[in-house]
Amino acid sequence: MNDVILDELYKNIGKYVTSEKMCEKLGVSRIAVWNRIKNLQKLGYKIEGKRSVGYILKEEAKDILIPYEIKRHLNTKIFGRRIEYFRLTSSTMDEAEYILEKDPDSHGTLVIAEEQTSGRGRQKRKWLSPKGENIYVSLIYTPKNMEVSDSIAIMFATSIAIKEALSDFGIEDAKIKWPNDVMVDNKKIAGVLLETRSEAGVLTNAIIGFGVNVNMEEMPDEIKTTATSMYILTKEKIDRAILLSNTLFYLENLLNILSNEGREKILDLWRESNNTLGRKVEVYSDGEVLVGLAKDIDKDGFLLVDTGNDVKKVLTADSVRFVNEK
Ligand code: ATP
């Protein structure tokens, strides 16, 4: 019902729409319309009502992250055409998992939350997810023609899509730390998490999660020295609905390339966008530390580290630190 009201108000933005017209469109009473309008005002819509004239939407929404606003800006074919919205959830990854379990045909469904109580990164590390300021989403993706060995390329594509969307908002210098952290000035602005299902080496389903620090004015103490946000960098409040729609658009294109043309182009785009190759790194893996030069990625996207004695392949479960950085 909200969508019908918003359609009508947006069609007539800056002009009054009579209550009669709203009642007629919705087939409900004036009181019911008024209650809906109050809810929309609470969400942040600048709607005014005048007795015996009607309702007016004064201006376009700014940063109201609800499915209606995301879809208003969306240019994708499939990604985000179905959206499951949560004001609060443990983790969008869990919700997406549950949706996929119930409905194996949910390719392209986007799960979004305003707040997560147990947002997670890789290896079950915590992803801080305060309310109303950032993007926390999971996308259900059913790949065509992909193998388990394409998994890192899916992560790469997601980080590249986020990097492109950041550049739409003037953040041109984002770089990707292997495999998938999006960094600006060596601080993390976005993270990507991939969970996959496979059968006999064929990738049957993936849940692609990502979090972007958007409008946080200050970073929480735990990550103050290691993380940043778009607001901290630009001093501007960003419309998350536009940022997310743009990211999904880039991601859909990149994953189509991966699916139709194979990994090569995505790996090259990652090479152009990374901050890891050519640097001295420490790799923590199962209690062991390995030090060497991040030389290149292999054909699957694994990091190759030259220790001086030999070249070691780094797994995505391992933790990479730049030497001389905490
Ligand atoms: P690390 O950053 O510890 O090297 P990682 O690169 O593998 O690990 P992830 O596991 O993807 O990162 O993300 C979890 C880590 O990111 C946490 O351990 C924490 O250091 C950091 N982190 C948590 N919340 C945020 C956030 N909102 N923004 C940026 N960094 C965060």
Side-chain angles (χ1 to χ4, degrees), residues 121-122 125-128 177 181 188 192 213 219 223 227 319-321:
R122 298 183 306 142
R125 283 187 279 256
K126 195 170 153 194
W127 188 260
L128 299 177
K177 179 180 167 223
D181 288 337
K188 205 188 293 190
V192 174
N213 298 329
M219 303 316 286
I223 52 171
S319 202
V320 174
R321 297 261 182 287

Side-chain angles (χ1 to χ4, degrees), residues 296-315:
D296 198 358
I297 45 174
D298 75 1
K299 63 173 184 19
D300 299 326
F302 287 105
L303 187 65
L304 301 173
V305 173
D306 187 347
T307 63
N309 298 324
D310 57 4
V311 174
K312 297 262 196 232
K313 192 195 274 194
V314 179
L315 304 180

Side-chain angles (χ1 to χ4, degrees), residues 120-130 134 136 177-181 188-193 213 216 219-220 222-223 226-228 316 318-321:
R120 59 178 187 265
R122 298 183 306 142
Q123 305 301 102
K124 305 246 169 359
R125 283 187 279 256
K126 195 170 153 194
W127 188 260
L128 299 177
S129 311
N134 296 332
Y136 317 112
K177 179 180 167 223
W178 187 90
N180 55 15
D181 288 337
K188 205 188 293 190
I189 192 163
V192 174
L193 180 65
N213 298 329
M216 286 164 108
M219 303 316 286
E222 293 162 78
I223 52 171
T226 56
T228 191
T316 50
D318 299 342
S319 202
V320 174
R321 297 261 182 287

Side-chain angles (χ1 to χ4, degrees), residues 28 33 38 41 94 123 127 131 135 171 174 181-182 207 225 228 248 262 302 307 317 324:
V28 297
V33 171
K38 275 194 293 191
Q41 286 170 330
D94 297 339
Q123 305 301 102
W127 188 260
K131 185 176 166 185
I135 284 177
I171 299 172
D181 288 337
V182 185
I207 298 176
T225 55
T228 191
L248 292 176
F302 287 105
T307 63
N324 301 330

Side-chain angles (χ1 to χ4, degrees), residues 55-278:
Y55 298 105
I56 182 172
L57 177 63
K58 300 286 257 188
E59 57 183 53
E60 280 196 46
K62 286 199 192 86
D63 192 36
I64 300 179
L65 193 63
I66 59 170
Y68 184 89
E69 288 298 327
I70 298 165
K71 285 187 182 158
R72 209 163 66 80
H73 296 287
L74 205 59
N75 279 318
T76 56
K77 285 211 170 69
I78 295 166
F79 288 7
R81 290 289 156 194
R82 175 179 160 202
I83 299 176
E84 298 293 333
Y85 170 86
F86 296 86
R87 214 169 290 200
L88 175 72
T89 180
S90 55
S91 149
T92 57
M93 296 304 277
D94 297 339
E95 299 289 357
E97 183 98 18
Y98 182 64
I99 291 167
L100 183 60
E101 199 66 54
K102 276 197 311 192
D103 175 11
D105 204 12
S106 47
H107 174 58
T109 299
L110 184 78
V111 180
I112 172 156
E114 279 282 10
E115 184 181 2
Q116 300 184 113
T117 51
S118 316
R120 59 178 187 265
R122 298 183 306 142
Q123 305 301 102
K124 305 246 169 359
R125 283 187 279 256
K126 195 170 153 194
W127 188 260
L128 299 177
S129 311
K131 185 176 166 185
E133 304 183 298
N134 296 332
I135 284 177
Y136 317 112
V137 293
S138 296
L139 179 79
I140 297 173
Y141 179 63
T142 305
K144 273 198 202 114
N145 320 320
M146 284 196 204
E147 295 165 3
V148 173
S149 54
D150 286 306
S151 300
I152 303 180
I154 296 177
M155 289 189 203
F156 285 179
T158 311
S159 312
I160 297 164
I162 295 170
K163 179 184 152 56
E164 289 189 24
L166 292 178
S167 111
D168 292 339
F169 288 86
I171 299 172
E172 309 277 358
D173 49 352
K175 294 264 181 298
I176 305 166
K177 179 180 167 223
W178 187 90
N180 55 15
D181 288 337
V182 185
M183 321 279 290
V184 181
D185 302 334
N186 280 325
K187 290 184 172 180
K188 205 188 293 190
I189 192 163
V192 174
L193 180 65
L194 181 74
E195 293 178 357
T196 56
R197 292 180 188 181
S198 60
E199 271 167 37
V202 173
L203 213 53
T204 49
N205 270 303
I207 298 176
I208 303 169
F210 56 92
V212 187
N213 298 329
V214 186
N215 288 325
M216 286 164 108
E217 292 182 12
E218 255 185 79
M219 303 316 286
D221 284 344
E222 293 162 78
I223 52 171
K224 221 176 193 96
T225 55
T226 56
T228 191
S229 74
M230 293 176 77
Y231 179 80
I232 290 172
L233 294 167
T234 63
K235 294 287 171 284
E236 274 175 34
K237 292 283 173 169
I238 307 284
D239 188 326
R240 288 170 297 158
I242 300 178
L243 176 71
L244 179 56
S245 309
N246 291 8
T247 309
L248 292 176
F249 174 76
Y250 296 128
L251 182 57
E252 191 173 84
N253 282 332
L254 289 163
L255 290 180
N256 283 342
I257 292 173
L258 179 61
S259 179
N260 297 331
E261 299 170 31
R263 265 170 253 166
E264 212 43 53
K265 180 141 183 216
I266 302 299
L267 300 192
D268 280 346
L269 284 171
W270 185 89
R271 281 190 183 93
E272 281 167 25
S273 318
N274 86 91
N275 73 351
T276 307
L277 300 184

